[in-house]
Amino acid sequence: MTRSLLSADQLPVHARRVRAMLVRWIPLLEARGVFMVLLASAVGAIAGTLVTAMSAIVQGLHALMFDVQPGGRLSGMFSLQHPRQAVVPAIGGLLLGMTFLWLKRRKFRTPIDPIEANALYGGRMSLTDTLIIAGQTMLSSGFGASVGLEAGYTQVGSGFASRIARLLRLRRNDVRILVGSGAAGAIAAAFDAPLTGAFYGFELVIGIYSIGNVAPVMTAAVSASLTAEMFGNVPFPLELSGLPDLTPSQYLPFLLLGLVGGGASIAIMYLVTMVERLFVRMRIDSSLRPFVGGCAVGLLSLITPQVLSSGHGALHREFAMNYGIAVIASVFVLKLTASAISLGSGFRGGLFFASLFLGALLGKVFAGVMAFVSPATGIDADVAAVVGMTSLAVGVVGGPLTMTFLALESTRDLTLTGVVLAASIMSAILVRETFGYSFSTWRFHLRGETIRSAHDVGWMRSLTVGMMMRKDVKLIPATTTLAEFRRQVPLGSAQRVVAVDGDGRYAGVLIVAEIHSEQTHPDSTVLTLAKFKDSVLVPTMNVQSAAETFQRAGAEELAVVKDFTDREVVGLLTESYLMRRYAEELDKARRDLSGEG
């Protein structure tokens, strides 16, 4: 079992020695499941350590740049210590722009995040990309840009997990599970919430919950959380006490809040895209956009520092204070603007925690409106904040169970389970049916990718038309008469023949039986009966694109041409064979994900 797991014959010398030592002294490692759990435990400990270190570095930058006192949070300050601190985000943007120039000159590719890696590349991630993203994220958040560190956390957790898995030459599905375990550990350590981290790995990075992945992912999450606690990482819990009992009549308003949160999440994703496109239209060089964005965020921070960084302190402050609806709404608008400007201008980070903060504000605004519209409903503002927090975050981040567990683990109140889960599901359904993307997959869509989740679709890209087509194609000139065709291609000798023009380019598909049964003048050319003249495949098409082409054309068999320009015929492919190969590969992928085989 271990030999197939580690591919010992292909391992580097030092890795083979480590493997031999492990197998000799720990016989249980011959069991793949036990090996993966132990490996995930180590990955979780690494993720917890890295998350703690990144958090400490950012807190150190906040103390240095903004005079944040030990134990305090930048976004929790009531005002900046000095107006000149408003230029700090612009300085951070300038430094970040310099990193963009350096990476451009070194010709670095676009970094791959855990979701993309698991969806397209079997979990393979670059450690260089990981370090770059982590550094840029710490720089962005450390200098006050309105972005969260969670993207950097999951990148380092998954990146190091992928590196370890590749060093040990694990099989494709095991690499994907370990990458998900790294991300799970990172989120668990960041929020002191093992269940949240585990379901983040299941829903967002691996793409499925199964018996085969539950043990390693859960182990990594618990290991990371314990490691972070050991290093004294500040936990996330929201201290909510004295919450009223929920009544059945309150569920309907909270379900409405779930829909409002889902709609708001879609609007936020569109807004970030609009800001990004605005920077492009302004023709500002990409290396200068973070500086411009930093200037704008700095100006907003003069109104309230709650717009700065991820918003941990601001969220706790909103739950601790009883602000009026006008103040809460203004903070919502300011934080939303700052986050959109930060991400749209190129600061590195994500909307994970910003969506939690914005959702909590939205929930409190909703409670205020309901108190005015329907006082008899009796909606508690803190409960509405928790429901709004999860509803909006589900739309932005994805993963209703992830956000539900985050709400429960952060509040330590299980009485909210039903209403939080119901509202999260409503938000998820609305976003999926009307928009179809989370923030991460929406960014992939804007880049031209078709990823909608972390399900492994990389095999679909490798299963191309060129691999499946038949090359023994019978060609005939399109000027051939029907009588001549019947002499050259007797009935039963072939089912289809491809017609080509005088330059050897594709002209259409000829159905042999139809031509033999046609009663038109025998001197007519076969071109008059050619089908699918404008529908062809090319060898580089993947199975999904080819299936869509068959569906549009309504054809059972299509010609394959070298390219769409010269249309030189190189093969034929039948829809039945295409779908059979697709079904075989899909069944294989499902067996791997479920731990079978």
Side-chain angles (χ1 to χ4, degrees), residues 565-585:
T565 303
D566 61 25
R567 295 166 69 89
E568 176 188 348
V569 179
V570 294
L572 277 172
L573 180 63
T574 62
E575 184 182 28
S576 59
Y577 181 73
L578 171 83
M579 299 311 295
R580 185 168 71 251
R581 290 286 290 116
Y582 173 79
E584 289 172 355
E585 293 295 331

Side-chain angles (χ1 to χ4, degrees), residues 222-529:
V222 172
S223 174
S225 183
L226 293 175
T227 301
E229 288 183 9
M230 182 182 68
F231 284 114
N233 194 31
V234 179
F236 173 64
L238 299 172
E239 300 297 335
L240 301 180
S241 58
L243 295 179
D245 294 332
L246 296 174
T247 62
S249 62
Q250 293 176 335
Y251 269 74
L252 185 59
F254 282 131
L255 291 178
L256 176 60
L257 177 55
L259 293 175
V260 171
S265 68
I266 296 173
I268 289 170
M269 288 185 274
Y270 272 121
L271 177 61
V272 172
T273 304
M274 289 171 58
V275 173
E276 188 172 359
R277 289 175 177 171
L278 178 61
F279 274 100
V280 173
R281 290 175 184 172
M282 292 170 63
R283 297 184 179 179
I284 301 175
D285 188 86
S286 59
S287 62
L288 292 177
R289 291 173 196 167
F291 171 74
V292 177
C295 292
V297 172
L299 292 174
L300 293 174
S301 71
L302 292 173
I303 303 174
T304 173
Q306 291 186 75
V307 303
L308 297 176
S309 194
S310 58
H312 284 75
L315 180 61
H316 284 78
R317 177 174 155 187
E318 288 298 329
F319 275 100
M321 308 294 287
N322 188 24
Y323 293 110
I325 188 172
V327 174
I328 296 173
S330 64
V331 173
F332 178 89
V333 173
L334 290 171
K335 177 63 177 179
L336 175 59
T337 303
S339 295
I341 291 174
S342 296
L343 292 170
S345 63
F347 278 103
R348 179 71 71 178
L351 278 174
F352 191 114
F353 203 91
S355 66
L356 294 173
F357 180 37
L358 290 170
L361 296 173
L362 181 66
K364 285 207 167 188
V365 171
F366 180 84
V369 172
M370 288 299 297
F372 177 76
V373 174
S374 178
T377 308
I379 291 180
D380 184 79
D382 285 340
V383 175
V386 174
V387 174
M389 178 178 75
T390 54
S391 300
L392 195 148
V394 163
V396 172
V397 179
L401 289 177
T402 299
M403 292 305 160
T404 299
F405 280 116
L406 177 59
L408 300 179
E409 289 184 294
S410 59
T411 62
R412 309 289 198 259
D413 192 335
L414 295 180
T415 61
L416 300 176
T417 304
V419 68
V420 167
L421 182 58
S424 297
I425 291 174
M426 293 300 292
S427 174
I429 291 174
L430 177 67
V431 174
R432 185 185 65 214
E433 296 296 329
T434 62
F435 189 64
Y437 300 93
S438 66
F439 183 66
S440 296
T441 55
W442 174 239
R443 305 286 279 184
F444 298 146
H445 169 72
L446 295 177
R447 281 168 34 195
E449 294 286 357
T450 57
I451 307 170
R452 288 181 180 263
S453 71
H455 285 286
D456 190 5
V457 296
W459 59 268
M460 292 177 62
R461 295 195 171 189
S462 61
L463 189 61
T464 62
V465 169
M467 296 174 57
M468 296 182 288
M469 69 181 185
R470 291 193 347 253
K471 297 181 181 179
D472 54 334
V473 187
K474 183 174 180 59
L475 306 178
I476 197 165
T479 55
T480 303
T481 65
L482 296 182
E484 181 62 25
F485 180 89
R486 290 162 183 162
R487 283 193 295 270
Q488 293 186 23
V489 188
L491 189 63
S493 63
Q495 290 184 334
R496 295 170 182 84
V497 177
V498 176
V500 294
D501 62 16
D503 296 323
R505 293 179 297 187
Y506 173 77
V509 174
L510 305 172
I511 310 300
V512 175
E514 289 185 6
I515 293 181
H516 276 272
S517 63
E518 183 60 40
Q519 300 299 317
T520 57
H521 197 281
D523 292 332
S524 299
T525 64
V526 293
L527 185 60
T528 59
L529 299 178

